[in-house]
Amino acid sequence: MAFDLVVSDVVTPEMEEAIRGPLVAYNNARFGESSKRDLGIYLRLETGEITGGLIGWTARDWLYVQLLFIPDENRGHGLAGRLLSMAENEARARGCVGAYLDTMNPDALQTYLKYGYRIIGKNGPMSGGQFITWLNKVF
């Protein structure tokens, strides 16, 4: 079978799905269903506006924290710890055995270490001199 390999800086949802769909099907056939469920915890103002929070998912008995953002004016008040704790509690309720995440922010790294996460990998330096660090926490 001949292929036309093309490097592109364009990735449409259809292009991504052409790769994601068969990959997920392959992994599900090989390892079983992932039971992936989204998880969101939002910092919501009285007006309903979302100003921060945590986005992630649970799958294959682990919580992945994809995004965690606290607005500058709300940092230093324990909100990150509360968000992580709420997400971890929900993950436990879903049968998860641990959580994992990544960061390139040195301040966020210190926060995650404070809340019991441990470094499991690192890559860099990247542009700007920062490293990307992967962490996990076993419940």
Side-chain angles (χ1 to χ4, degrees), residues 2-139:
F3 292 98
D4 183 18
L5 302 174
V6 178
V7 175
S8 176
D9 60 356
V10 175
V11 178
T12 66
E14 296 79 18
M15 292 169 170
E16 184 174 340
E17 185 53 32
I19 297 168
R20 180 185 309 281
L23 177 60
V24 169
Y26 173 84
N27 285 341
N28 287 345
R30 181 147 188 204
F31 306 113
E33 292 290 325
S34 71
S35 302
K36 182 179 177 188
R37 289 177 57 195
D38 289 337
L39 176 63
I41 305 169
Y42 308 104
L43 300 177
R44 193 182 304 265
L45 299 175
E46 291 176 3
T47 61
E49 177 187 2
I50 295 172
T51 62
L54 180 149
I55 299 286
W57 62 78
T58 57
R60 302 193 186 282
D61 299 333
W62 280 83
L63 164 66
Y64 174 60
V65 177
Q66 180 183 23
L67 304 169
L68 193 155
F69 178 74
I70 309 290
D72 286 342
E73 63 272 13
N74 301 114
R75 293 183 183 165
H77 302 287
L79 281 172
R82 287 175 56 197
L83 289 169
L84 288 167
S85 179
M86 291 174 71
E88 292 164 8
N89 288 339
E90 178 61 22
R92 283 185 195 92
R94 295 180 185 189
C96 292
V97 299
Y100 65 105
L101 50 81
D102 58 78
T103 187
M104 62 181 193
N105 180 325
D107 297 330
L109 175 60
Q110 292 309 309
T111 297
Y112 298 134
L113 292 171
K114 175 182 172 181
Y115 290 110
Y117 285 77
R118 66 181 185 88
I119 296 171
I120 57 172
K122 201 172 198 179
N123 187 47
M126 303 172 86
S127 62
Q130 76 278 12
F131 288 78
I132 187 162
T133 304
W134 291 273
L135 303 99
N136 80 356
K137 180 178 183 178
V138 177
F139 301 148

